[in-house]
Amino acid sequence: MSDITPPTDTDDPTGDEPDDITVIEIQEEMESSFLDYAMSVIISRALPDARDGLKPVHRRILYSMYDQGFRPDRGHVKCARVTGDVMARFHPHGDNAIYDALARMAQPFSLRHPLIDFHGNYGSPEDPPAAARYTESRLDSLAMQMLADIDEDTVDFIDNYSGDFTEPDVLPARFPNLLVNGSQGIAVGMATNIPPHSLTEVCDAVTHLLTNPQATVDDLMEFVKGPDFPTGGQILGRVGIESAYREGRGSVKMRASTEVEEIKGRQAIVVTAFPYQVSAGAVARKISDLVNARELEGIADINDESSGDDTRFVITLKRDANPEVVLNNLWKHTPLQSSFGVNMVALVGGVPRTLNLRDALVAYVDHQIEVVTRRSEFRLDKAQRRLHIVDGLIKALDMIDEIIAAIRASADRAAARTALGAEPFDFSEEQANHILDMTLGRLTRLGRSELESEQEELARTIAELQAILGDDTRLRAVIRDEPVSYTH
């Protein structure tokens, strides 16, 4: 084998080295690149934003459906259509990941209040949903509250991955979705696991925090008693709940709801609600394995008689079995009793943070203050601009003939606008353009009483919006008292 001689400086015949080469140690490049990748996964994929409780994929699905008009008062559309648009415009990842996120937002066993109204098989705790070409969806009415007032400059819009479209950086989220529906995700070096809660309890806590900004975690726990899992079941003890709410981490012990019945002369344990994210199939397999291994005695048969939303999982006992003894063994050895490890991690200001109950609610309240402030500023500007036009139209009523004569005497639109801005009219450019945009028929039919009524109404609206923007207490009262429309 011939020897390979490393190149030397003399091997470059020109004596010049390229200017675009940077020498860097491989360990430095690996550290930098891995950190960039980790932050990308954390911010762009795996963790929810504390303000709206959504990961980017869920936010993009909801906004895409809203933008295309797939709303509660309209018909369902193929999920493949929704998935395709989200992938094409906003989320350049696999269609399976998008469709799985879409289906999850429709699952009543995953979310306390689903955001997607679904037609077809959205799956089960054990089985995936049917293919996107077979299923249909549209926004649920509650999802419209996530998007409420988005057209009134309430949130920032950013460029999509290609720069061809824009998407919301966050949704207005007129209800505290992070706690209500919870969230789960695994990032690089961190994870989040937030349980769902009662909408009423969380909204009551938000209302209290709006009125009492200095409320403590203990104060807020008077309203939020604990997680409210959509599958029902029982929660054992409060130690795990209190740890989760005070520190952002804790373990909540869950147990299935059971009844002992007599069926055909034999006693049976009937499960009417499973712990959150526990499937009947997983329980049946575990029980079968334990019975076959002779680690669980007293069970004669297992039968899943569940139908639709009604859970009925029947464990038939042997004639000499004691139901209490069997139940205790089931709690100990099967998923009928399991734990939910709470890890309340979410993005605050683009940075992952472990949140206690107060932190999560404060992040939401701060977001609502910004949303309502921006909405009020948008409406104030709109009302002021309209009032300026109405003032001009009322002024024009007293000189209609002169205005028409000035317009007719002008060579073009620019000349007419200049004439209307000069003596004796003194209209602003906006007022002059509005008058020029009106047909002669509309201009001559202007009614003073209607314009004066609109002028008074606009003046009241402007005064009210200015009062809201000038008083933090009144602003918080608007957030607290504003009705939310939701039917499900």
Side-chain angles (χ1 to χ4, degrees):
M1 180 180 295
S2 61
D3 294 333
I4 299 177
T5 304
T8 64
D9 293 340
T10 58
D11 292 331
D12 184 0
T14 65
D16 297 327
E17 292 186 358
D19 295 331
D20 58 350
I21 294 179
T22 301
V23 179
I24 187 172
E25 295 291 338
I26 189 170
Q27 63 267 26
E28 294 179 14
E29 176 61 27
M30 288 295 293
E31 289 174 2
S32 175
S33 297
F34 188 79
L35 182 60
D36 291 342
Y37 164 72
M39 290 306 297
S40 174
V41 172
I42 289 168
I43 295 172
S44 303
R45 298 179 71 173
L47 297 184
D49 194 299
R51 296 170 293 177
D52 62 6
L54 297 173
K55 301 176 188 178
V57 64
H58 301 112
R59 188 178 302 116
R60 289 163 177 166
I61 289 170
L62 294 178
Y63 178 70
S64 171
M65 295 180 73
Y66 174 85
D67 191 46
Q68 294 186 89
F70 306 150
R71 305 181 187 184
D73 56 346
R74 303 176 189 178
H76 294 76
V77 298
K78 286 286 186 183
C79 289
R81 181 177 173 185
V82 176
T83 301
D85 180 76
V86 173
M87 183 168 58
R89 293 202 292 162
F90 304 123
H91 199 68
H93 300 284
D95 56 341
N96 286 336
I98 297 171
Y99 180 56
D100 287 345
L102 172 67
R104 187 180 186 277
M105 286 194 289
Q107 294 171 342
F109 51 82
S110 294
L111 272 65
R112 188 63 186 82
H113 293 278
L115 301 175
I116 299 295
D117 182 3
F118 209 82
H119 271 178
N121 179 7
Y122 47 57
S124 71
E126 194 168 23
D127 302 311
R133 62 184 179 273
Y134 298 127
T135 57
E136 297 179 333
S137 63
R138 64 183 179 186
L139 291 174
D140 191 87
S141 61
L142 189 60
M144 297 302 292
Q145 295 301 321
M146 292 293 294
L147 295 147
D149 308 321
I150 197 171
D151 298 325
E152 296 186 274
D153 194 33
T154 51
V155 295
D156 291 333
F157 276 71
I158 57 177
D159 287 339
N160 74 330
Y161 65 91
S162 65
D164 296 325
F165 304 96
T166 59
E167 58 178 300
D169 180 51
V170 67
L171 296 188
R174 300 316 309 277
F175 75 97
N177 181 62
L178 179 70
L179 290 176
V180 170
N181 280 322
S183 185
Q184 293 175 293
I186 300 175
V188 179
M190 62 181 62
T192 187
N193 204 29
I194 303 173
H197 292 79
S198 163
L199 177 62
T200 301
E201 290 183 2
V202 178
C203 287
D204 287 345
V206 169
T207 299
H208 181 76
L209 187 60
L210 283 165
T211 308
N212 304 276
Q214 303 305 317
T216 65
V217 172
D218 289 340
D219 295 334
L220 297 170
M221 285 172 60
E222 293 295 320
F223 301 93
V224 183
K225 304 296 185 182
D228 187 13
F229 296 112
T231 51
Q234 304 173 35
I235 295 177
L236 305 182
R238 290 194 53 82
V239 175
I241 295 173
E242 292 176 359
S243 174
Y245 289 167
R246 290 194 174 103
E247 303 170 14
R249 297 175 184 272
S251 181
V252 178
K253 188 171 290 187
M254 306 177 295
R255 177 179 285 184
S257 297
T258 60
E259 300 172 355
V260 177
E261 298 182 8
E262 186 170 323
I263 301 175
K264 296 181 179 179
R266 287 193 178 186
Q267 288 187 311
I269 297 170
V270 179
V271 179
T272 56
F274 286 99
Y276 186 51
Q277 297 178 325
V278 172
S279 68
V283 173
R285 288 191 296 273
K286 184 63 176 179
I287 293 176
S288 296
D289 292 343
L290 291 171
V291 170
N292 292 335
R294 298 185 181 279
E295 296 179 19
L296 191 59
E297 303 290 341
I299 295 177
D301 192 23
I302 308 168
N303 190 27
D304 186 7
E305 300 177 0
S306 303
S307 176
D309 295 332
D310 295 326
T311 299
R312 184 176 172 83
F313 185 82
V314 182
I315 304 170
T316 305
L317 305 183
K318 294 179 179 178
R319 296 189 183 278
D320 58 347
N322 184 325
E324 294 299 325
V325 173
V326 175
L327 260 177
N328 286 332
N329 286 324
L330 290 172
W331 302 144
K332 183 177 180 180
H333 298 292
T334 73
L336 287 176
Q337 179 171 302
S338 55
S339 296
F340 185 96
V342 179
N343 188 25
M344 294 174 58
V345 177
L347 298 175
V348 178
V351 177
R353 284 185 52 196
T354 299
L355 310 175
N356 61 27
L357 179 61
R358 175 182 161 80
D359 294 335
L361 293 174
V362 166
Y364 173 74
V365 167
D366 289 346
H367 177 52
Q368 291 308 296
I369 290 173
E370 181 180 359
V371 165
V372 175
T373 298
R374 292 179 58 159
R375 185 189 68 182
S376 299
E377 291 171 344
F378 177 88
R379 292 179 178 179
L380 176 61
D381 179 65
K382 183 178 179 180
Q384 288 174 331
R385 285 188 283 109
R386 177 58 186 170
L387 179 60
H388 183 61
I389 297 298
V390 171
D391 288 342
L393 293 176
I394 292 175
K395 178 181 175 182
L397 288 174
D398 298 326
M399 50 183 73
I400 286 291
D401 294 337
E402 293 89 339
I403 290 172
I404 294 173
I407 293 173
R408 284 176 172 170
S410 302
D412 52 27
R413 182 185 177 95
R417 183 169 55 245
T418 301
L420 292 178
E423 293 288 347
F425 307 112
D426 290 326
F427 290 114
S428 70
E429 185 176 349
E430 293 80 6
Q431 291 171 332
N433 280 328
H434 189 84
I435 291 171
L436 291 172
D437 288 338
M438 299 176 71
T439 62
L440 183 59
R442 285 184 60 204
L443 189 59
T444 56
R445 287 199 304 269
L446 287 174
R448 183 178 293 275
S449 61
E450 292 85 352
L451 288 172
E452 288 178 346
S453 295
E454 184 179 1
Q455 186 184 49
E456 293 173 1
E457 181 62 30
L458 287 168
R460 285 194 294 269
T461 299
I462 290 170
E464 181 180 351
L465 291 169
Q466 289 174 333
I468 291 171
L469 291 170
D471 185 350
D472 181 69
T473 302
R474 189 159 181 177
L475 177 65
R476 288 172 173 268
V478 170
I479 300 170
R480 183 190 66 221
D481 301 332
E482 204 162 50
V484 174
S485 174
Y486 172 47
T487 57
H488 184 69

